[in-house]
Amino acid sequence: MNFETSEVTNQVAQLASDFAQKHIRPYVMQWDETQEFPLHVFKEMGKLGLMGVLVPEEYGGSGLGYLEYVAVIQEIAKVCGSIGLSLAAHNSLCIGHILTFGNEAQKRKYLPKLATAEWLGAWGLTEPNTGSDAGNMKCMARPDGKDWIINGTKNWITHGKSGDVAVVIARTGEPRTKNNATTFIVQRGTKGFAGGKKENKLGMRASETAEMIFDNCRLPDSNRVGNVGDGFKQAMKVLDGGRISIAALSLGIAKGAYEASVKYSKERHQFDQPIANFQGIAFKLADIATEIMAAELLTLKAADLKNKGVGMTKEAAMAKYYASEVAVKASNEAVQIFGGYGYTKDFPVEKYYRDSKLCTIGEGTSEIQKLVISREVLK
């Protein structure tokens, strides 16, 4: 791959960075403390094309690739992981599923409004008792004439209450059997579809995470995405792209924590000199810088393969696994470098610390990534 960043990628990154500094940074702690989901910010990002980065221009999107997408997520997450998370879920999961597996009518109906953030997207796979064990999901869809009726609950859903459009995977066969799930598009306002409990989270507090509840929710067959029974296979393909998103999100958080640490280590004096002069601090920064670069190379490799349409299940899992663990380590070390100040909300690193942990859990835990990677290398 070409390691030289293109002018377009640089311009898009600068656009995202400028937006984050102006519209996000002043309010980061306010949103975190109150758990406010700032929907208006996403509407503004929609005007700039950031809510439809990967959507072709014919459907109202920006028509860009995964390298630009990674740059956007990183720049936003450097400032606020919560906003980066919601941006990623909207772009890669909801939009990504429709873009990859939707028919032409579905693409033309949903993508233009999602790409401009007129509609906010959600994606529902996880359930209260089936996280990694998605083959045993309880949310079911049964045929009723030309319609489908969905019953059950999804949880840990980004935009579960506020989303206008949800792509939902429901079981249509027996538990743990092959091809036992099917995908549906459900719009807010559909009878029998409602948001449930909003989670009170450790981090990513300005990103809405909530239940989606289906109570005899009736949908026409035209809302089905792809063939009956293909839902789980579709979800696994969507998660390949989603893992690049989480890797980029992790990189943004890690870089934010690292840059804050470098700045602080030069400003903070002990024993009449900057603490950056002490090997104990300098070596921490050296380790973080090295691991961030390694994580970035893994992420760009996966993004490059995705752009080329080449299989990248292993590479995406590697990038997500490594980058998320680096984000946790970088933010942990940042708190240590800041010392007592790092443990207060007057400085940014405690938030990076809280936000980073989600990256090792969402869209497949670190343990699941190792399972995916080991299966790929042992084929």
Side-chain angles (χ1 to χ4, degrees):
M1 65 177 285
N2 183 0
F3 287 92
E4 184 178 352
T5 308
S6 73
E7 184 178 350
V8 171
T9 304
N10 288 333
Q11 288 174 346
V12 171
Q14 190 61 54
L15 174 70
S17 177
D18 291 345
F19 181 89
Q21 295 300 329
K22 182 178 179 180
H23 297 283
I24 300 174
R25 188 175 291 283
Y27 312 102
V28 167
M29 290 312 298
Q30 174 188 324
W31 295 336
D32 183 78
E33 292 284 347
T34 62
Q35 301 194 61
E36 176 186 348
F37 176 57
L39 183 58
H40 65 281
V41 170
F42 297 94
K43 301 291 186 183
E44 291 300 316
M45 285 196 285
K47 295 175 184 177
L48 297 176
L50 301 180
M51 296 293 278
V53 178
L54 301 166
V55 177
E57 292 181 21
E58 64 179 299
Y59 301 119
S62 298
L64 298 171
Y66 265 79
L67 295 176
E68 290 76 31
Y69 177 55
V70 165
V72 167
I73 298 297
Q74 275 194 80
E75 292 301 329
I76 298 297
K78 273 187 191 179
V79 176
C80 182
S82 296
I83 306 303
L85 174 62
S86 279
L87 183 66
H90 174 90
N91 271 284
S92 69
L93 297 181
C94 180
I95 285 179
H97 203 132
I98 296 171
L99 186 61
T100 306
F101 296 105
N103 59 38
E104 189 61 24
Q106 290 166 342
K107 290 178 182 179
R108 296 203 174 276
K109 179 177 181 180
Y110 297 107
L111 291 180
K113 292 186 177 182
L114 287 167
T116 58
E118 181 178 343
W119 286 349
L120 184 68
W123 191 77
L125 176 66
T126 306
E127 298 182 5
N129 297 307
T130 55
S132 302
D133 185 17
N136 194 34
M137 66 178 72
K138 301 295 189 291
C139 183
M140 292 189 62
R142 62 176 177 83
D144 186 51
K146 295 183 178 181
D147 296 339
W148 293 84
I149 297 177
I150 303 180
N151 280 288
T153 302
K154 298 289 181 180
N155 79 333
W156 307 111
I157 308 304
T158 305
H159 313 146
K161 290 172 73 76
S162 297
D164 299 289
V165 175
V167 176
V168 180
I169 298 91
R171 185 160 59 82
T172 49
E174 293 301 313
R176 294 203 178 92
T177 58
K178 198 171 183 180
N179 304 325
N180 72 342
T182 304
T183 304
F184 301 90
I185 301 174
V186 190
Q187 283 185 244
R188 185 68 57 197
T190 301
K191 187 177 179 181
F193 174 43
K197 174 191 174 186
K198 179 180 175 180
E199 301 296 341
N200 182 11
K201 307 191 300 291
L202 168 73
M204 301 291 194
R205 289 163 62 84
S207 176
E208 179 187 276
T209 305
E211 291 178 317
M212 293 194 300
I213 300 169
F214 301 88
D215 182 11
N216 289 320
C217 178
R218 180 179 291 271
L219 298 173
D221 190 57
S222 59
N223 284 42
R224 172 172 49 85
V225 180
N227 296 325
V228 174
D230 282 353
F232 187 72
K233 288 187 288 187
Q234 292 175 5
M236 293 304 100
K237 292 292 184 183
V238 170
L239 283 172
D240 281 347
R243 284 164 182 162
I244 295 175
S245 296
I246 301 301
L249 178 67
S250 302
L251 276 173
I253 292 171
K255 287 182 178 182
Y258 167 73
E259 290 171 8
S261 298
V262 170
K263 182 174 183 291
Y264 183 80
S265 72
K266 293 177 179 179
E267 295 172 348
R268 172 70 166 169
H269 282 65
Q270 292 285 274
F271 304 99
D272 302 319
Q273 58 184 308
I275 62 172
N277 289 354
F278 297 108
Q279 201 173 70
I281 301 298
F283 279 13
K284 287 182 186 296
L285 295 172
D287 284 341
I288 297 170
T290 302
E291 292 179 23
I292 286 174
M293 182 173 286
E296 186 161 30
L297 290 173
L298 282 169
T299 304
L300 293 176
K301 173 68 172 178
D304 182 57
L305 292 175
K306 181 70 173 174
N307 277 344
K308 292 173 178 174
V310 178
M312 31 61 80
T313 296
K314 178 182 70 177
E315 289 79 4
M318 285 177 168
K320 194 272 188 188
Y321 165 52
Y322 188 73
S324 64
E325 295 291 342
V326 167
V328 172
K329 180 177 177 181
S331 57
N332 180 51
E333 292 286 43
V335 171
Q336 194 71 18
I337 289 168
F338 273 72
Y341 291 111
Y343 206 66
T344 72
K345 293 183 182 292
D346 295 332
F347 289 82
V349 291
E350 67 85 30
K351 183 177 183 296
Y352 289 124
Y353 184 57
R354 289 185 288 108
D355 287 348
S356 66
K357 190 56 192 170
L358 185 276
C359 298
T360 69
I361 298 170
E363 297 194 35
T365 62
S366 291
E367 290 74 20
I368 288 295
Q369 302 314 310
K370 287 192 275 190
L371 181 64
V372 171
I373 295 164
S374 63
R375 284 176 176 172
E376 290 294 313
V377 300
L378 291 170
K379 277 184 176 178

